[in-house]
Amino acid sequence: MSAVTDLDEQRAPFSALVARLVIAAGLVLVLVGFAGAVIAALGGWTPLVGSCVIVVAAAVAWRLSRALPVLPVAKGGAAAVVLAAAAITVWTGVTHSEQILPRRDSASYLQSSINLAEGGTRPIPIDVESVGGPDVLRIDGVGLESPAFYQIGSASDPAIQPQFMPGPSVWYSVAYWLGGEQAAFWAPAIAGGFALVALGLLVCAFAGRWSGALAVILIGACFPWLHTSRSTYSEPLAALALAAGFYLLTAVTRSAEEHRVTGGVPIARAAVLAGFLIGGTSIVRIDALRETMLLVPIGALLLARQRGWARHTLTGAIGSTAAGFVIAAALSWRYLGEIAASLIPLVGLTVLTGLVSWWVLRRGWSLPDRVRARLPLGLAVTTLLVGVFLASRPLWLTVRQNPRDPGAMYVARMQEAQGLTVDGGRTYAEHSVQWLSWWVGPIALVIALITLAVLNHRMTAAWVDRGRLPAWSPVVLIATGSTLLTLWRPGITPDHPWADRRLLIALPLVLCLVAVAVGWVVKGERRAPFARWPALGPVIAAALVLATAIPTALATWPHRSERIELGELAAVREVCDRLGPNDVVIAVDDWAVNQWPQVVRGMCGRPALATEGRLRDDPARLHQALVQIDQAVTERGGTLLLIASREEGTLTTIGARDIQTVVDVTVWEDMRVLEERPDGVTLLPIQLWSGRVDPTAEIG
């Protein structure tokens, strides 16, 4: 294994160095994610501890990367990839969003990161006396919970459990230590840049020197990728871990196939780390289980062909995925319960896949010779037919879910606002291929589908002939399987562009396949028919590039410089400045509950309560509860402050006094559309009113 690495470094030392950096970055991300989650659970995630963990993880990752194989890249290819990724990173960072109020997942991640950076612990402990004592939390309809921040524990010992996996909070808290909110806003762009480098190197190794840079530009300029990398989402971090794992898995496969290595310490170590990166993505996104599930049958097939190193890859992937689930069960169990309806079937499918793979391995089952001979062509044709099948679904299928689901109710409200037929149970999943075409154009989908069919033919032919397996085979199978599962069931509320986060494996796969097709054409310039008509190759290559780049650029162009919710940070700081040192805040309408309790608690450093819908629906009972809370807070030296965000009349209705406008600004937010590509932004008012309890008020 080391000989292969040395040879590659002699061919292109810069590309080998870049590959080491990318792999090390992925390893550091996963190692620190797991270590930080454990330390946060113990209440010790401080800047000093975090710095030590990062230094140790970086040293270990860099040391391990020295013994790992890399993919050979033609001279100049790696430099082009790095320059393209750097340009995309700068563009993304300069145009970063400023999502502070937890209306979307990115702001929820940011708020949990700030709390972790400031408090060093997860879940977030709450001093019950600061909100008026345990009796306040025993009032029906009063609590600490707000969207993405669950109340756990008892009334006398409460805490707040942030939603989602802890990995993003760990890493964005590190960025917050380094430079506050602005550094946190840049962090996803940097993580996304590293992921682009890994993908670019992969394409370079197998499609030619400049194809990698083309893939980087196309992916980085594709709006769903740009959109998530502008905000503190989990996707950029997951992309880095997964892309590094894919790169290393491909390098391991190449080394083993070209040098007929079936085992040994060096390749075993590399295989374990490849699996560790793929499965370890679960520390930032729990649905990384999907990629581990897809890796299981692929590993079984490799083992059936005496590729013993695959056992180590499976060990690494299953082990790190299991560790992610243990962390989730300890720190995000409310979240697991919330997504159980989709998670449990995925877990069951993973177990079933593992059992079937084990059974096939034990029986040594194989296909008849007649079937084997037709398998390459059959798989290529099947690939084309599946693509046509998925694209045609809107013609004959309407996918629905339970109309009583909260997501369905949200969809119904959007349908009414957009003048559509109200059918909240629709998931619009049958349009998932169309969602892809919004951002890259239909021609790119056709190019990618044909390229994938050719790749599947080549891979299956090599398998049937018991020849050298193409190094890209495992990664193409995993990415294709993940894309098919996503297109079949996106599993997200279909408001765009937010919902397009689900496409962040599908879209890079499509664009990488286009870059591969361009690389094939360029490489084949000296072959027939290009040798007879020399101008044909460049013309076809240019046509393929333009057929993809123009639709991608046109789709992204309206969003090229938009900065979503810019001005929100200043609004939050204004609210914090207006709060008194003894104020205890309680949100009394739905908008205030959705947006402000965790912001007040985490960024303003003031205690915060929330009211529930059943209490807000009865103004007289709400007023009575507020009087009781006000008395409890006053007895402990505090002053109760009521806040509302929907309208000032909310406070008037419950008889509040001293009503004031705390903040009133307007920012731009993402469009929310269901049946078309979003091509702009819409206005979002950020308003907050405050008032005090009037015990003598009469509520009619």
Side-chain angles (χ1 to χ4, degrees):
M1 179 66 66
S2 59
V4 174
T5 305
D6 292 342
L7 178 59
D8 293 339
E9 289 177 352
Q10 291 170 11
R11 289 179 181 173
F14 179 72
S15 67
L17 175 62
V18 173
R20 285 187 63 193
L21 284 171
V22 167
I23 295 170
L27 288 172
V28 170
L29 188 152
V30 175
L31 289 170
V32 173
F34 278 114
V38 173
I39 294 170
L42 300 174
W45 187 245
T46 64
L48 177 60
V49 172
S51 299
C52 293
V53 170
I54 292 172
V55 168
V56 171
V60 170
W62 187 249
R63 177 66 182 86
L64 288 174
S65 68
R66 293 182 60 187
L68 299 178
V70 297
L71 297 172
V73 174
K75 188 175 182 180
V81 165
V82 171
L83 288 174
I88 295 293
T89 300
V90 171
W91 172 32
T92 306
V94 168
T95 58
H96 67 74
S97 298
E98 202 172 88
Q99 296 178 344
I100 304 291
L101 300 178
R103 304 168 53 259
R104 294 294 193 190
D105 292 352
S106 59
S108 301
Y109 281 119
L110 178 66
Q111 291 302 323
S112 63
S113 302
I114 291 173
N115 271 279
L116 184 57
E118 298 284 356
T121 187
R122 180 179 172 130
I124 305 165
I126 300 295
D127 178 7
V128 71
E129 292 299 313
S130 69
V131 294
D135 288 340
V136 166
L137 297 183
R138 295 189 181 104
I139 297 174
D140 186 31
V142 175
L144 302 166
E145 186 164 316
S146 58
F149 294 92
Y150 308 109
Q151 178 180 334
I152 60 173
S154 64
S156 57
D157 186 23
I160 297 293
Q161 183 184 93
Q163 195 180 27
F164 307 125
M165 294 299 292
S169 298
V170 168
W171 271 108
Y172 292 140
S173 71
V174 172
Y176 185 82
W177 288 334
L178 293 174
E181 294 90 354
Q182 295 301 324
F185 292 144
W186 269 82
I190 295 170
F194 273 99
L196 287 174
V197 172
L199 294 174
L201 292 178
L202 263 175
V203 174
C204 257
F206 299 105
R209 179 180 306 173
W210 309 116
S211 296
L214 174 63
V216 167
I217 293 170
L218 290 175
I219 296 169
C222 187
F223 182 66
W225 181 284
L226 179 67
H227 184 247
T228 54
S229 295
R230 282 171 167 169
S231 300
T232 47
Y233 285 109
S234 62
E235 279 81 3
L237 301 174
L240 171 53
L242 199 57
F246 282 176
Y247 177 93
L248 186 53
L249 178 59
T250 305
V252 169
T253 306
R254 170 185 169 271
S255 296
E257 292 297 313
E258 291 192 359
H259 300 273
R260 298 298 183 182
V261 180
T262 59
V265 174
I267 197 168
R269 182 187 300 118
V272 167
L273 291 176
F276 174 76
L277 284 168
I278 294 171
T281 308
S282 61
I283 194 61
V284 292
R285 285 190 63 81
I286 196 64
D287 62 1
L289 173 64
R290 179 179 53 200
E291 281 67 53
T292 299
M293 176 191 73
L294 293 166
L295 185 59
V296 169
I298 295 169
L301 288 172
L302 290 169
L303 288 172
R305 286 292 178 86
Q306 287 75 51
R307 270 70 169 185
W309 57 267
R311 181 176 292 104
H312 303 292
T313 301
L314 291 176
T315 299
I318 294 171
S320 56
T321 302
F325 270 79
V326 170
I327 294 291
L331 299 181
S332 304
W333 50 268
R334 284 283 304 272
Y335 171 54
L336 294 186
E338 192 175 77
I339 63 171
S342 58
L343 185 61
I344 290 176
L346 183 59
V347 172
L349 186 59
T350 302
V351 173
L352 178 62
T353 301
L355 291 174
V356 171
S357 299
W358 173 81
W359 179 77
V360 171
L361 270 177
R362 283 185 60 88
R363 283 182 59 99
W365 176 76
S366 62
L367 295 172
D369 291 342
R370 183 178 300 176
V371 175
R372 286 164 52 85
R374 292 174 172 79
L375 194 58
L377 179 60
L379 184 57
V381 172
T382 300
T383 301
L384 298 174
L385 292 177
V386 169
V388 173
F389 169 79
L390 289 172
S392 69
R393 286 192 300 166
L395 301 176
W396 48 271
L397 179 67
T398 299
V399 181
R400 289 185 172 86
Q401 63 175 343
N402 185 347
R404 297 179 182 177
D405 184 271
M409 297 176 186
Y410 177 62
V411 169
R413 291 195 295 270
M414 284 194 294
Q415 289 169 331
E416 185 176 11
Q418 295 170 31
L420 304 174
T421 302
V422 177
D423 182 5
R426 287 200 64 183
T427 69
Y428 295 89
E430 69 273 14
H431 291 278
S432 57
V433 174
Q434 184 182 4
W435 299 352
L436 289 176
S437 71
W438 284 350
W439 301 112
V440 299
I443 297 177
L445 298 185
V446 174
I447 297 169
L449 186 61
I450 294 173
T451 305
L452 182 61
V454 173
L455 288 176
N456 284 339
H457 184 278
R458 291 182 179 180
M459 173 185 62
T460 312
W463 185 265
V464 168
D465 294 340
R466 295 185 177 273
R468 181 187 300 171
L469 186 68
W472 40 260
S473 300
V475 167
V476 168
L477 287 172
I478 295 171
T480 301
S482 181
T483 295
L484 289 176
L485 291 173
T486 299
L487 294 178
W488 181 255
R489 186 181 183 277
I492 193 169
T493 305
D495 55 337
H496 302 274
W498 184 71
D500 296 312
R501 297 184 304 150
R502 280 291 189 268
L503 306 178
L504 289 185
I505 288 180
L507 280 170
L509 174 62
V510 167
L511 295 171
C512 284
L513 289 171
V514 170
V516 167
V518 173
W520 285 348
V521 173
V522 172
K523 282 184 174 182
E525 284 186 1
R526 296 182 180 178
R527 304 173 186 171
F530 301 127
R532 188 171 181 181
W533 295 290
L536 187 60
V539 169
I540 294 177
L544 295 178
V545 172
L546 293 176
T548 304
I550 290 176
T552 301
L554 290 175
T556 301
W557 183 256
H559 310 282
R560 65 194 180 279
S561 59
E562 66 186 21
R563 297 189 60 189
I564 296 301
E565 299 182 38
L566 181 65
E568 212 166 84
L569 180 58
V572 168
R573 287 175 175 168
E574 183 177 350
V575 171
C576 293
D577 291 342
R578 294 283 297 273
L579 296 178
N582 298 319
D583 279 341
V584 176
V585 174
I586 183 167
V588 296
D589 70 7
D590 54 346
W591 285 15
V593 169
N594 289 346
Q595 299 177 8
W596 287 100
Q598 194 57 39
V599 174
V600 169
R601 193 180 293 127
M603 297 184 71
C604 303
R606 300 289 185 271
L609 292 163
T611 54
E612 298 178 8
R614 63 179 183 273
L615 180 60
R616 295 193 299 268
D617 291 341
D618 188 340
R621 194 161 69 89
L622 174 58
H623 176 262
Q624 183 180 1
L626 293 174
V627 171
Q628 183 179 346
I629 298 168
D630 184 51
Q631 292 174 347
V633 168
T634 302
E635 289 173 359
R636 290 163 174 80
T639 56
L640 188 65
L641 183 71
L642 318 181
I643 60 169
S645 286
R646 182 181 284 274
E647 57 183 358
E648 184 179 356
T650 301
L651 296 174
T652 305
T653 301
I654 57 176
R657 59 179 175 84
D658 300 334
I659 298 176
Q660 299 180 11
T661 300
V662 181
V663 69
D664 186 0
V665 299
T666 300
V667 300
W668 295 104
E669 71 164 337
D670 289 315
M671 294 179 68
R672 292 187 295 260
V673 292
L674 293 169
E675 293 189 340
E676 59 186 13
R677 184 186 73 208
D679 59 3
V681 290
T682 187
L683 291 174
L684 171 68
I686 304 294
Q687 298 172 310
L688 192 69
W689 294 273
S690 68
R692 303 289 180 180
V693 176
D694 183 357
T696 64
E698 295 184 2
I699 310 301

